[in-house]
Protein backbone atom coordinates (compact mmCIF):
# COMPACT_ATOMS: atom_id res chain seq x y z
CA UNK A 1 0.00 0.00 0.00
CA UNK A 2 2.97 2.27 0.53
CA UNK A 3 3.52 2.22 -3.24
CA UNK A 4 -0.04 3.45 -3.82
CA UNK A 5 0.64 6.51 -1.69
CA UNK A 6 4.04 7.15 -3.26
CA UNK A 7 2.43 6.93 -6.71
CA UNK A 8 0.09 9.73 -5.59
CA UNK A 9 3.08 11.90 -4.72
CA UNK A 10 3.33 11.20 -0.99
CA UNK A 11 6.68 11.03 0.77
CA UNK A 12 7.24 8.32 3.37
CA UNK A 13 8.18 9.88 6.72
CA UNK A 14 8.11 6.79 8.97
CA UNK A 15 7.14 3.15 9.02
CA UNK A 16 5.90 1.49 12.22
CA UNK A 17 6.60 4.62 14.25
CA UNK A 18 6.27 4.06 17.97
CA UNK A 19 5.63 6.80 20.48
CA UNK A 20 4.48 6.78 24.11
CA UNK A 21 0.85 6.60 22.96
CA UNK A 22 1.29 3.68 20.58
CA UNK A 23 2.36 2.68 17.10
CA UNK A 24 1.36 4.01 13.70
CA UNK A 25 1.89 1.69 10.75
CA UNK A 26 2.75 4.26 8.09
CA UNK A 27 3.27 8.03 8.16
CA UNK A 28 3.47 10.05 4.97
CA UNK A 29 3.53 13.65 3.85
CA UNK A 30 1.46 15.01 1.00
CA UNK A 31 0.77 18.53 -0.24
CA UNK A 32 -1.94 18.97 2.41
CA UNK A 33 -0.04 17.77 5.48
CA UNK A 34 0.66 14.49 7.23
CA UNK A 35 -1.17 11.24 6.49
CA UNK A 36 -1.30 8.52 9.15
CA UNK A 37 -2.22 5.04 7.92
CA UNK A 38 -3.47 2.12 10.01
CA UNK A 39 -3.18 -1.24 8.21
CA UNK A 40 -5.59 -4.08 8.94
CA UNK A 41 -5.45 -7.50 7.31
CA UNK A 42 -8.00 -10.32 7.29
CA UNK A 43 -9.65 -12.77 4.91
CA UNK A 44 -11.83 -9.99 3.44
CA UNK A 45 -11.61 -6.20 3.50
CA UNK A 46 -14.87 -6.16 5.46
CA UNK A 47 -13.40 -8.48 8.10
CA UNK A 48 -10.26 -6.33 8.20
CA UNK A 49 -12.35 -3.21 8.83
CA UNK A 50 -14.16 -4.95 11.68
CA UNK A 51 -10.83 -5.61 13.42
CA UNK A 52 -10.42 -1.91 14.20
CA UNK A 53 -11.89 -1.19 17.62
CA UNK A 54 -12.79 2.25 19.09
CA UNK A 55 -10.10 1.93 21.77
CA UNK A 56 -7.49 1.40 19.08
CA UNK A 57 -8.72 4.45 17.13
CA UNK A 58 -8.24 6.57 20.25
CA UNK A 59 -4.71 5.22 20.64
CA UNK A 60 -3.90 5.98 16.99
CA UNK A 61 -5.26 9.52 17.31
CA UNK A 62 -3.17 10.10 20.44
CA UNK A 63 -0.05 8.77 18.71
CA UNK A 64 -0.72 11.01 15.69
CA UNK A 65 -0.98 14.05 17.96
CA UNK A 66 2.23 13.00 19.67
CA UNK A 67 3.95 12.71 16.29
CA UNK A 68 2.89 16.13 14.95
CA UNK A 69 3.73 17.81 18.26
CA UNK A 70 7.38 17.26 17.27
CA UNK A 71 6.94 19.09 13.95
CA UNK A 72 7.54 22.83 13.47
CA UNK A 73 3.80 23.47 12.98
CA UNK A 74 2.90 21.26 15.96
CA UNK A 75 -0.77 20.55 16.53
CA UNK A 76 -1.64 23.10 13.82
CA UNK A 77 -0.35 20.56 11.26
CA UNK A 78 -2.98 19.35 8.80
CA UNK A 79 -3.56 15.65 9.45
CA UNK A 80 -5.49 12.86 7.82
CA UNK A 81 -5.95 9.36 9.20
CA UNK A 82 -6.47 6.63 6.63
CA UNK A 83 -7.30 2.96 6.88
CA UNK A 84 -5.64 0.42 4.57
CA UNK A 85 -7.57 -2.85 4.40
CA UNK A 86 -5.86 -5.93 3.00
CA UNK A 87 -7.66 -9.17 2.12
CA UNK A 88 -6.20 -12.68 1.88
CA UNK A 89 -5.40 -12.27 -1.81
CA UNK A 90 -3.38 -9.13 -1.10
CA UNK A 91 -5.97 -6.73 -2.51
CA UNK A 92 -5.73 -3.37 -0.78
CA UNK A 93 -8.57 -0.96 -0.21
CA UNK A 94 -7.58 2.51 0.96
CA UNK A 95 -10.15 4.47 2.94
CA UNK A 96 -9.03 8.07 3.21
CA UNK A 97 -9.98 10.01 6.35
CA UNK A 98 -11.59 6.83 7.69
CA UNK A 99 -10.51 7.31 11.29
CA UNK A 100 -11.98 10.01 13.46
CA UNK A 101 -12.39 10.67 17.16
Amino acid sequence: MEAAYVARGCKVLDRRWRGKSGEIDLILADDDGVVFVEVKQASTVEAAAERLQPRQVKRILAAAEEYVARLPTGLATNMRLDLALVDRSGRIELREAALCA
Side-chain angles (χ1 to χ4, degrees):
M1 98 262 344
E2 182 178 312
Y5 283 99
V6 171
R8 295 177 179 184
C10 292
K11 176 185 174 192
V12 176
L13 299 177
D14 275 298
R15 293 173 191 89
R16 299 192 75 184
W17 179 83
R18 179 167 291 281
K20 292 178 183 178
S21 302
E23 181 180 300
I24 298 180
D25 295 323
L26 185 59
I27 304 172
L28 309 116
D30 68 7
D31 291 336
D32 295 325
V34 179
V35 180
F36 298 93
V37 182
E38 175 66 15
V39 180
K40 288 293 181 191
Q41 189 168 0
S43 58
T44 66
V45 293
E46 293 81 14
E50 291 172 1
R51 293 187 63 210
L52 187 65
Q53 300 299 311
R55 196 172 96 184
Q56 187 178 19
V57 172
K58 288 180 183 179
R59 179 195 53 77
I60 294 165
L61 292 170
E65 287 179 350
E66 182 182 345
Y67 186 89
V68 297
R70 309 172 325 145
L71 301 178
T73 51
L75 294 176
T77 302
N78 286 332
M79 296 184 281
R80 187 177 84 223
L81 292 99
D82 291 0
L83 185 57
L85 305 171
V86 184
D87 71 11
R88 75 173 138 241
S89 68
R91 183 177 70 91
I92 300 167
E93 181 178 308
L94 300 177
R95 294 187 182 175
E96 291 186 6
L99 306 179
C100 55

